Every structure is written in C-alpha cells, then in structure tokens.
Amino acid sequence: MRYRRFGKTNLPLSVFSLGTMRYLASEETACQTVQQAVSLGINHIETASGYGCSEEYLGVALSAGLAVDRSRLHVTTKISPTPDAEAMERSIDESLKRLNLDYLDCLAIHGLNTWEHLAWVQAETGCMATVDKAVADGRIRHVGFSTHGPLELILAAINTDLFEFVNLHYYYFFQRNAPAIELATQKDLGIFIISPADKGGQLYTAPETLTEMCRPFSPLELNYRFLLSDTRIGTLSVGAANPMELEEPLRCCDRDFPLSAMEITAFDRLESVMAASLGTNKCSQCYACLPCPENINIPEVLRLRNLAVGCNMTDFGKYRYAMFENAGHWFPGNKGNRCTDCGECLPRCPEKLDIPALLADTHQHLGGKGGRRLWD
C-alpha cells in the first residue's frame, strides 16, 4: 500500500480509503470488511451520518479492536450542511457517539451541492461556527467538504479558504472537475475521489466492448491507474460491501507511478474508437449549451450517450439516467424528453450538434424507471 500526504491536513493517507456506504448488509459483515481493509494497509475509513447504520457498524468495528493504533487510523464522517448551528452541534455529538470516538480526524460538510448550501456555510451564525467550536475543543481535527455540485460551485467553495480537503467526482470518463483538482492543489487541499469504480462507470461489471478496448488492462484497472498516476490526488474511495470486494481494487495499491507507454496506448485507443463510433455526434462536454429553459442537464445526458454509443456502456447510462428527476440536488436536471425543441442551445454549441434530436435519442435508449440514491 502506498501513502500520500492529504494536503494541508498533513495526514498520511493510504491511496485507497474504505468507503462504507455499501457495507450495510450486517454488523458482522461490516466488521469483517473493516478488519480486512486495515489488515491490507488501508488507514482511512470514510462514513456519513446519512449512510443508514454505517456509523454504528463502524463504531462496533472500532470498539472490537483493530491491528493498528487509533493514532494511525484516520476516520472521516460527513454531516449535511444546515443553517442551524444547534442542529450541527447535535449532529457532531451524535456521530461521535455512534462511532464510539472522542474525536474525528476529518469532518466533511456532506453534499455541498447548491449555492444555498454554500451560503449556509459562509453565514457567520451558520453551521461552520459550530464546526469551528468543535475544532477548537478537539472533537474535530480537520474540516473539508464533499460535493456533487457544479464545477462553478466547487471552485467557489474551495476559494472560501474554509476547508482543508475536498471529496469530489473525477474519473477518466468524467474530467469536468479538472479545474477543481488544479485549484485544490494550488490551495494545498487534500483531494479525495468519490466512487471511482461505480460512479466512474460501473467498471467492476464493464461491458465486453469496453473490456476489449482496454486490453491488456481491465477498464477498472485503467481508471485506477489514470487516478493514481496523478500525484495531486490523495486517496480513492473503495466502496466494498464485503471483504472480497477489496481484492481487485487493491491490486493497484502500489501502482502510483506515471502511466506506462502501454497504458497511454490503451487510453489513446479508447479515444480513437469512441471518436469513430460517435462521429459528428460526439459531445465535447464544453457546457456552452447551458442553461436550458427546461432544466435539462444537457452535457450530462450527452455524456451518458457518448459512453453508451462510444463503448457500449449502456447499462451504466441507464443507471445514471434514471437518477434524473429522482435524486434532487445530488444529481440535478431533467431527462431529455423534457425538451420542447425551443432551439436556445443550438447557436451556443460550437460543434453544431442537433441537441434536441440527440436528447430524444438518449431518452429512447436510456430512459426507463426512475432510480434513487443507494442509501434511500
């Protein structure tokens, strides 16, 4: 296992962190998963007050004793933003109680996804006043935020200089947040990548087409290498539901060196095949088409189309597309069938795409029953 300095927190975190949103099957399974992760060198465990019984299960695992000193095991929990300072105070104490801890290594404001959330954080009498108090009295060591929000919001949150780390989405198949990675690096924030296997493309069950495009590597392996070769990134989340699911990701735990010539060739082949498959209908993700009068998240809809058409990631596309209109600020925007063919986006598109037609095509191929966030 490799370890990296986590920005200005100065915590030496393992390059893989155990995310605990999915280990909710039972207390026994949760404890086994935590024990296995620690035995394999993982020294950072991330949970949240909103992840069902996750904090309680982790608390049991920590109380049972692990083969590492508490001073060398780093625990992060996440609490949603609120304008109510007293509510934040209660939440911090309740999380500590559930975790059976007297301090948190890291607290992340969970889901700083909207401009209203950012306003709550910046208000003098808002939740950060309570967080600052908890830092002063030792209940919290470091403060950051997690986000599923738009790039502009993420940059604004980093620029508040209130935080020491950021948890965000960034993968080979989603590089929109590259400027946030750069700004966080300039500010010396620790960078934690959320769900690179699942939100990064459900790469643990990649379609055969994508698997063939990536040979001699697996799609999951290539994505991990894309991230681990970037020394700005501190740690990647592994959302293992049981001990066995740690095995494949951790094959890359010591491979944080620069990309090899063979890996670069595989990425070049991916780009070439996708470009040929999409032809003149490829969306370059410039975001110039926004805003949409019908609140359609046009770039994300067309990104899912890019992946479905370009490398047969149709199941992943359906999984994510179903979240539109069902996940609130965690995955905002309407589905493509809401398009009224108003044409406002057309002159803004530098590639002159027939966006209404592509939205309709995407909805036809990816539309289905609505989805919900996992822990809902």
Side-chain angles (χ1 to χ4, degrees):
M1 179 68 69
R2 302 293 190 191
Y3 300 85
R4 289 180 176 176
R5 174 180 173 272
F6 194 49
K8 64 179 67 177
T9 72
N10 284 317
L11 296 173
L13 298 192
S14 47
V15 294
F16 284 97
S17 296
L18 178 64
T20 62
M21 190 174 76
R22 295 182 61 245
Y23 79 172
L24 303 176
S26 71
E27 181 181 295
E28 180 182 8
T29 300
C31 289
Q32 291 170 350
T33 305
V34 171
Q35 290 167 354
Q36 179 72 346
V38 171
S39 72
L40 293 172
I42 288 177
N43 72 350
H44 179 227
I45 305 175
E46 185 229 26
T47 183
S49 60
Y51 288 174
C53 300
S54 175
E55 285 185 331
E56 288 94 334
Y57 288 173
L58 179 54
V60 171
L62 295 173
S63 298
L66 299 171
V68 63
D69 294 335
R70 170 68 180 99
S71 63
R72 295 170 54 206
L73 182 66
H74 309 300
V75 177
T76 295
T77 198
K78 306 190 293 292
I79 298 174
S80 298
T82 172
D84 187 337
E86 292 183 1
M88 178 60 77
E89 179 78 27
R90 290 192 299 272
S91 294
I92 292 171
D93 287 339
E94 288 166 0
S95 285
L96 286 168
K97 183 177 180 180
R98 287 189 290 264
L99 290 163
N100 290 317
L101 295 175
D102 54 10
Y103 73 90
L104 292 166
D105 298 273
C106 298
L107 172 73
I109 303 299
H110 189 197
L112 210 166
N113 298 338
T114 71
W115 292 101
E116 182 180 40
H117 293 158
L118 185 58
W120 292 348
V121 165
Q122 291 181 289
E124 290 186 9
T125 58
C127 57
M128 287 301 288
T130 297
V131 172
D132 290 343
K133 174 185 172 185
V135 171
D137 64 28
R139 285 176 293 163
I140 296 170
R141 300 284 173 85
H142 306 285
V143 180
F145 71 99
S146 73
T147 180
H148 296 229
L151 174 61
E152 295 76 15
L153 175 68
I154 299 172
L155 296 175
I158 293 172
N159 275 322
T160 64
D161 294 324
L162 293 171
F163 303 107
E164 296 173 89
F165 64 90
V166 57
N167 303 5
L168 79 170
H169 295 284
Y170 177 72
Y171 327 109
Y172 176 70
F173 288 121
F174 179 76
Q175 298 182 39
R176 169 67 174 170
N177 287 335
I181 298 288
E182 180 58 32
L183 181 61
T185 301
Q186 292 173 13
K187 297 275 189 177
D188 197 23
L189 269 63
I191 298 172
F192 181 111
I193 301 301
I194 302 170
S195 189
D198 186 66
K199 304 302 189 301
Q202 288 190 320
L203 300 177
Y204 43 81
T205 55
E208 186 59 29
T209 302
L210 179 60
T211 300
E212 287 297 323
M213 292 163 68
C214 293
R215 292 196 190 281
F217 310 100
S218 73
L220 184 61
E221 180 183 10
L222 271 185
N223 190 49
Y224 283 144
R225 287 288 295 123
F226 170 77
L227 296 168
L228 290 174
S229 67
D230 189 337
T231 57
R232 301 172 301 175
I233 292 169
T235 186
L236 317 179
S237 175
V238 176
N242 56 62
M244 286 81 76
E245 291 187 2
L246 291 166
E247 183 177 340
E248 185 173 2
L250 295 196
R251 289 175 186 158
C252 295
C253 69
D254 61 352
R255 298 177 59 197
D256 63 344
F257 41 79
L259 292 174
S260 68
M262 190 176 294
E263 288 167 336
I264 292 170
T265 297
F267 283 121
D268 289 343
R269 183 169 60 249
L270 266 174
E271 291 297 324
S272 177
V273 173
M274 288 184 67
S277 298
L278 288 159
T280 58
N281 288 326
K282 181 182 178 182
C283 172
S284 66
Q285 299 287 283
C286 69
Y287 280 64
C289 54
L290 296 180
C292 169
E294 302 304 323
N295 194 35
I296 299 168
N297 191 338
I298 298 172
E300 184 62 12
V301 172
L302 297 189
R303 182 180 77 92
L304 297 178
R305 184 184 184 278
N306 282 354
L307 298 179
V309 174
C311 42
N312 198 29
M313 292 172 68
T314 303
D315 287 344
F316 172 70
K318 289 180 176 179
Y319 155 57
R320 295 303 285 166
Y321 191 80
M323 304 296 287
F324 288 126
E325 305 177 25
N326 289 287
H329 56 74
W330 296 95
F331 197 63
N334 290 328
K335 292 182 167 71
N337 65 329
R338 302 285 186 177
C339 179
T340 62
D341 207 10
C342 71
E344 286 194 17
C345 56
L346 295 177
R348 297 200 293 261
C349 178
E351 291 144 331
K352 306 303 179 185
L353 298 178
D354 187 349
I355 293 174
L358 294 177
L359 293 176
D361 180 66
T362 305
H363 186 76
Q364 179 182 349
H365 287 91
L366 302 183
K369 67 178 184 178
R372 295 188 303 166
R373 295 169 68 224
L374 182 61
W375 62 88
D376 291 340

